Amino acid sequence: FRPGHGVPPDPPGFREIRLEERVRILENETMGEYGFYYLDKLEETAKPAFQPVRLESYRSGHIRLDYQGQDAGWVVLPMRAYPGWRARVNGHEVEQSRFMDIMPAIPVSGASQIDFRYVPWNFYIAATVSLSGWAILLLFMFRLRKR
């Protein structure tokens, strides 16, 4: 950040880290370890709440979160919303929204378990083609063996 470009010199709740003379990093000290948060409305002015959202597990292509709040709103994942990500809340698939047109926002209506999985449609096409190829190869080899 450069002075005079929209960032106050000492914003509250942030810790300043200076890497070199002209580089300033601001670390949000209220944010949880992974940055998942709750919003009561999908507006840029909404204040994020980090405390009610806890990470249960994280694996490549699968994130499980526990929203412990009682209010309806959205749990936002600080990542780019790519096609293929599916959200389930308490076992039911839900339509996700986008916060700031980029981050996935999962609707919740009280305490909830959230499963966020990456299931791209092209994976199933590739798997079907691959399995079909193996089946044809095995059939061909079986017929050659009978001769």
Side-chain angles (χ1 to χ4, degrees), residues 28 31-39 42 48-50 53-55 58 63-65 74-82 85 96-106 114 116:
N28 184 344
M31 184 168 54
E33 184 177 354
Y34 299 97
F36 307 112
Y37 55 93
Y38 164 82
L39 292 175
L42 289 181
F50 297 96
V53 182
R54 300 207 186 275
L55 177 68
Y58 177 86
I63 301 169
R64 176 171 283 158
L65 302 171
W74 287 266
V75 171
V76 178
L77 289 84
M79 60 185 269
R80 185 170 184 86
Y82 284 107
W85 281 98
Q96 53 186 297
S97 298
R98 293 206 177 164
F99 180 58
M100 298 177 68
D101 292 327
I102 195 164
M103 293 179 280
I106 313 301
I114 301 165
F116 198 60

XYZ file of all heavy atoms in Angstrom, residues 28 31-39 42 48-50 53-55 58 63-65 74-82 85 96-106 114 116:
385
model
N -4.843 -9.167 9.233
C -6.074 -9.034 10.003
C -5.985 -9.964 11.207
O -6.046 -11.179 11.072
C -7.274 -9.379 9.122
C -8.591 -9.169 9.804
O -8.660 -9.048 11.028
N -9.647 -9.114 9.025
N -9.095 -12.412 12.094
C -9.440 -13.494 11.183
C -8.949 -14.827 11.720
O -7.890 -14.914 12.325
C -8.802 -13.229 9.814
C -9.174 -14.245 8.788
S -8.731 -13.771 7.111
C -7.035 -13.397 7.202
N -9.736 -15.871 11.489
C -9.329 -17.213 11.878
C -8.141 -17.676 11.056
O -7.711 -17.011 10.111
N -7.646 -18.839 11.367
C -6.445 -19.350 10.716
C -6.612 -19.507 9.200
O -5.698 -19.271 8.439
C -6.076 -20.695 11.330
C -4.796 -21.268 10.802
C -4.409 -22.566 11.473
O -5.078 -22.975 12.445
O -3.447 -23.184 11.025
N -7.800 -19.900 8.767
C -8.016 -20.155 7.342
C -8.832 -19.071 6.650
O -8.959 -19.077 5.437
C -8.680 -21.518 7.144
C -7.812 -22.628 7.663
C -8.018 -23.157 8.929
C -6.769 -23.119 6.902
C -7.205 -24.155 9.416
C -5.952 -24.118 7.384
C -6.175 -24.639 8.644
O -5.369 -25.616 9.121
N -9.433 -18.181 7.389
C -10.120 -17.045 6.796
C -11.572 -17.257 6.412
O -12.168 -16.397 5.795
N -12.187 -18.390 6.765
C -13.609 -18.588 6.489
C -14.394 -17.674 7.424
O -14.031 -17.518 8.590
C -14.018 -20.039 6.748
C -13.156 -21.032 6.028
C -12.305 -21.861 6.734
C -13.180 -21.128 4.647
C -11.501 -22.785 6.083
C -12.384 -22.042 3.988
C -11.543 -22.862 4.707
N -15.487 -17.088 6.933
C -16.238 -16.180 7.786
C -17.717 -16.172 7.450
O -18.139 -16.666 6.407
C -15.663 -14.763 7.741
C -15.552 -14.150 6.360
C -16.569 -13.354 5.846
C -14.410 -14.353 5.593
C -16.455 -12.780 4.596
C -14.290 -13.781 4.349
C -15.310 -12.986 3.851
O -15.197 -12.422 2.603
N -18.490 -15.582 8.367
C -19.946 -15.481 8.247
C -20.316 -14.033 7.944
O -19.726 -13.099 8.494
C -20.599 -15.912 9.566
C -22.041 -15.495 9.671
C -23.045 -16.243 9.072
C -22.395 -14.337 10.353
C -24.365 -15.849 9.152
C -23.716 -13.940 10.442
C -24.691 -14.693 9.839
O -25.984 -14.289 9.909
N -21.302 -13.861 7.054
C -21.877 -12.538 6.762
C -23.390 -12.628 6.905
O -23.993 -13.603 6.465
C -21.555 -12.090 5.333
C -20.115 -11.760 4.992
C -19.996 -11.449 3.503
C -19.615 -10.587 5.817
N -24.992 -10.174 1.886
C -23.932 -10.188 0.872
C -23.692 -8.788 0.330
O -23.992 -8.492 -0.829
C -24.279 -11.161 -0.258
C -24.210 -12.632 0.093
C -24.556 -13.495 -1.112
C -22.844 -12.999 0.631
N -17.602 -8.983 8.629
C -17.417 -10.429 8.735
C -17.249 -10.882 10.184
O -16.660 -10.183 10.999
C -16.136 -10.683 7.940
C -15.395 -9.396 7.982
C -16.437 -8.312 8.056
N -17.792 -12.058 10.493
C -17.613 -12.685 11.802
C -16.838 -13.978 11.583
O -17.332 -14.895 10.920
C -18.963 -12.952 12.448
N -15.647 -14.059 12.117
C -14.787 -15.218 11.920
C -15.018 -16.292 12.975
O -14.812 -17.469 12.722
C -13.314 -14.796 11.937
C -12.965 -13.859 10.816
C -12.964 -12.484 11.013
C -12.660 -14.346 9.564
C -12.651 -11.617 9.980
C -12.354 -13.492 8.522
C -12.346 -12.117 8.729
N -17.381 -19.687 12.509
C -17.068 -20.652 11.444
C -15.769 -21.372 11.795
O -14.734 -20.752 11.977
C -16.941 -19.959 10.078
C -16.676 -20.987 8.984
C -18.167 -19.138 9.756
N -15.872 -22.695 11.879
C -14.701 -23.512 12.236
C -14.431 -24.531 11.131
O -15.350 -25.123 10.585
C -14.939 -24.249 13.543
C -15.195 -23.333 14.699
C -14.777 -23.963 16.008
N -15.156 -23.148 17.127
C -14.438 -22.141 17.598
N -13.323 -21.832 17.014
N -14.851 -21.441 18.637
N -13.163 -24.743 10.877
C -12.750 -25.740 9.903
C -12.752 -27.111 10.570
O -12.089 -27.316 11.582
C -11.351 -25.426 9.371
C -10.774 -26.428 8.390
C -11.547 -26.413 7.088
C -9.311 -26.122 8.134
N -9.924 -30.447 5.976
C -9.513 -29.872 4.703
C -8.646 -30.884 3.971
O -7.625 -31.323 4.490
C -8.719 -28.581 4.932
C -8.213 -27.969 3.647
C -9.027 -27.112 2.923
C -6.948 -28.258 3.159
C -8.582 -26.555 1.742
C -6.499 -27.718 1.979
C -7.319 -26.858 1.275
O -6.892 -26.316 0.092
N -13.703 -29.499 1.548
C -13.600 -28.662 2.741
C -14.859 -28.897 3.564
O -15.967 -28.812 3.044
C -13.488 -27.169 2.366
C -12.254 -26.932 1.493
C -13.454 -26.292 3.618
C -12.209 -25.559 0.854
N -14.689 -29.195 4.844
C -15.838 -29.369 5.745
C -15.762 -28.284 6.813
O -14.765 -28.155 7.512
C -15.848 -30.737 6.393
C -17.006 -30.863 7.402
C -17.181 -32.252 7.897
N -17.857 -32.985 6.843
C -17.827 -34.298 6.713
N -17.155 -35.027 7.550
N -18.480 -34.896 5.739
N -16.845 -27.500 6.912
C -16.915 -26.404 7.872
C -18.072 -26.618 8.831
O -19.061 -27.265 8.496
C -17.123 -25.063 7.145
C -16.066 -24.669 6.121
C -16.515 -23.439 5.344
C -14.746 -24.423 6.797
N -24.682 -16.090 5.300
C -23.801 -16.791 4.372
C -22.453 -17.060 5.013
O -21.905 -16.210 5.729
C -23.568 -15.956 3.109
C -24.745 -15.906 2.216
C -25.013 -16.717 1.152
C -25.855 -15.014 2.306
N -26.206 -16.378 0.582
C -26.745 -15.331 1.265
C -26.190 -13.973 3.162
C -27.927 -14.659 1.065
C -27.374 -13.290 2.964
C -28.229 -13.641 1.915
N -21.908 -18.228 4.728
C -20.528 -18.546 5.081
C -19.714 -18.352 3.804
O -20.034 -18.927 2.763
C -20.393 -19.985 5.629
C -18.931 -20.369 5.777
C -21.119 -20.105 6.964
N -18.689 -17.522 3.904
C -17.881 -17.166 2.738
C -16.532 -17.870 2.826
O -15.905 -17.901 3.878
C -17.681 -15.632 2.657
C -16.795 -15.265 1.476
C -19.026 -14.926 2.569
N -16.120 -18.438 1.697
C -14.823 -19.091 1.609
C -13.888 -18.169 0.843
O -14.214 -17.764 -0.284
C -14.936 -20.438 0.892
C -15.641 -21.524 1.695
C -17.137 -21.438 1.568
C -15.140 -22.865 1.290
N -12.748 -17.812 1.414
C -11.844 -16.860 0.759
C -11.037 -17.524 -0.358
O -9.856 -17.809 -0.218
C -10.945 -16.395 1.911
C -10.901 -17.563 2.815
C -12.253 -18.212 2.720
N -11.708 -17.801 -1.454
C -11.088 -18.440 -2.609
C -11.888 -18.063 -3.845
O -12.985 -17.536 -3.741
C -11.068 -19.961 -2.447
C -12.452 -20.572 -2.291
S -12.422 -22.327 -1.955
C -12.508 -22.988 -3.612
N -11.349 -18.300 -4.990
C -12.065 -18.025 -6.235
C -13.103 -19.128 -6.465
O -12.802 -20.301 -6.296
C -11.092 -17.965 -7.394
C -11.734 -17.568 -8.691
C -10.667 -17.300 -9.731
N -11.257 -16.832 -10.942
C -11.552 -15.567 -11.196
N -11.287 -14.656 -10.302
N -12.096 -15.214 -12.329
N -14.307 -18.740 -6.829
C -15.384 -19.694 -7.089
C -15.234 -20.238 -8.510
O -15.564 -19.572 -9.476
C -16.740 -19.021 -6.917
N -14.720 -21.440 -8.617
C -14.566 -22.102 -9.908
C -15.727 -23.049 -10.145
O -16.276 -23.615 -9.199
C -13.259 -22.898 -9.956
C -12.040 -22.046 -10.139
C -11.164 -21.835 -9.091
C -11.770 -21.445 -11.362
C -10.036 -21.049 -9.255
C -10.651 -20.659 -11.536
C -9.792 -20.465 -10.483
O -8.681 -19.687 -10.652
N -17.346 -26.765 -8.045
C -17.472 -26.816 -6.593
C -18.940 -26.930 -6.231
O -19.764 -26.171 -6.710
C -16.867 -25.572 -5.948
C -15.378 -25.625 -5.854
C -14.497 -25.053 -6.719
C -14.600 -26.274 -4.859
N -13.213 -25.315 -6.327
C -13.251 -26.064 -5.181
C -14.909 -27.023 -3.727
C -12.205 -26.576 -4.397
C -13.877 -27.520 -2.957
C -12.538 -27.292 -3.290
N -25.107 -22.027 -4.285
C -24.224 -21.039 -3.680
C -24.304 -19.708 -4.412
O -24.637 -19.658 -5.588
C -22.790 -21.554 -3.639
C -22.267 -22.023 -4.986
C -20.919 -22.647 -4.874
O -19.982 -21.986 -4.501
N -20.810 -23.919 -5.205
N -24.041 -18.648 -3.684
C -23.982 -17.308 -4.255
C -22.517 -16.910 -4.351
O -21.632 -17.699 -4.023
C -24.739 -16.320 -3.364
O -26.099 -16.677 -3.278
N -22.285 -15.694 -4.788
C -20.920 -15.183 -4.844
C -20.857 -13.867 -4.085
O -21.729 -13.021 -4.216
C -20.473 -14.968 -6.275
C -20.357 -16.275 -7.004
C -19.391 -16.208 -8.098
N -19.296 -17.531 -8.707
C -18.759 -17.731 -9.864
N -18.272 -16.731 -10.542
N -18.698 -18.940 -10.350
N -19.814 -13.751 -3.295
C -19.573 -12.505 -2.577
C -18.516 -11.725 -3.338
O -17.470 -12.273 -3.682
C -19.123 -12.789 -1.143
C -18.842 -11.560 -0.335
C -19.833 -10.601 -0.153
C -17.615 -11.349 0.234
C -19.589 -9.466 0.584
C -17.359 -10.225 0.982
C -18.350 -9.272 1.153
N -18.810 -10.469 -3.605
C -17.935 -9.588 -4.382
C -17.631 -10.186 -5.760
O -16.554 -10.006 -6.312
C -16.652 -9.286 -3.606
C -16.911 -8.551 -2.308
S -15.445 -8.253 -1.314
C -14.581 -7.079 -2.328
N -18.588 -10.943 -6.299
C -18.502 -11.568 -7.625
C -17.341 -12.540 -7.796
O -16.992 -12.882 -8.917
C -18.418 -10.509 -8.727
C -19.691 -9.725 -8.867
O -20.769 -10.298 -8.635
O -19.617 -8.525 -9.197
N -16.750 -13.014 -6.707
C -15.606 -13.904 -6.866
C -15.557 -15.046 -5.864
O -15.161 -16.147 -6.204
C -14.278 -13.104 -6.830
C -13.142 -13.961 -7.368
C -13.970 -12.602 -5.440
C -11.918 -13.187 -7.731
N -15.959 -14.811 -4.610
C -15.824 -15.836 -3.572
C -17.137 -16.576 -3.353
O -18.196 -15.959 -3.333
C -15.377 -15.182 -2.253
C -13.987 -14.610 -2.325
S -13.475 -13.830 -0.788
C -14.288 -12.248 -0.930
N -17.079 -17.906 -3.176
C -18.303 -18.661 -2.924
C -18.901 -18.294 -1.568
O -18.190 -18.181 -0.572
C -17.855 -20.116 -2.956
C -16.384 -20.097 -2.829
C -15.894 -18.757 -3.231
N -20.219 -18.090 -1.567
C -20.966 -17.788 -0.343
C -22.056 -18.843 -0.200
O -22.927 -18.978 -1.061
C -21.564 -16.389 -0.417
N -22.008 -19.588 0.893
C -22.923 -20.702 1.133
C -24.026 -20.235 2.073
O -23.730 -19.783 3.182
C -22.179 -21.899 1.771
C -20.871 -22.210 1.041
C -23.096 -23.104 1.869
C -21.005 -22.532 -0.404
N -21.244 -27.799 6.786
C -21.098 -27.443 5.374
C -20.032 -28.330 4.756
O -18.911 -28.411 5.258
C -20.706 -25.963 5.220
C -21.768 -25.064 5.851
C -20.487 -25.617 3.754
C -21.321 -23.645 6.063
N -18.072 -28.744 1.206
C -17.779 -28.041 -0.039
C -16.820 -28.932 -0.813
O -15.684 -29.152 -0.391
C -17.156 -26.683 0.304
C -17.182 -25.695 -0.805
C -18.382 -25.277 -1.368
C -16.006 -25.150 -1.281
C -18.405 -24.340 -2.389
C -16.020 -24.216 -2.298
C -17.225 -23.809 -2.855
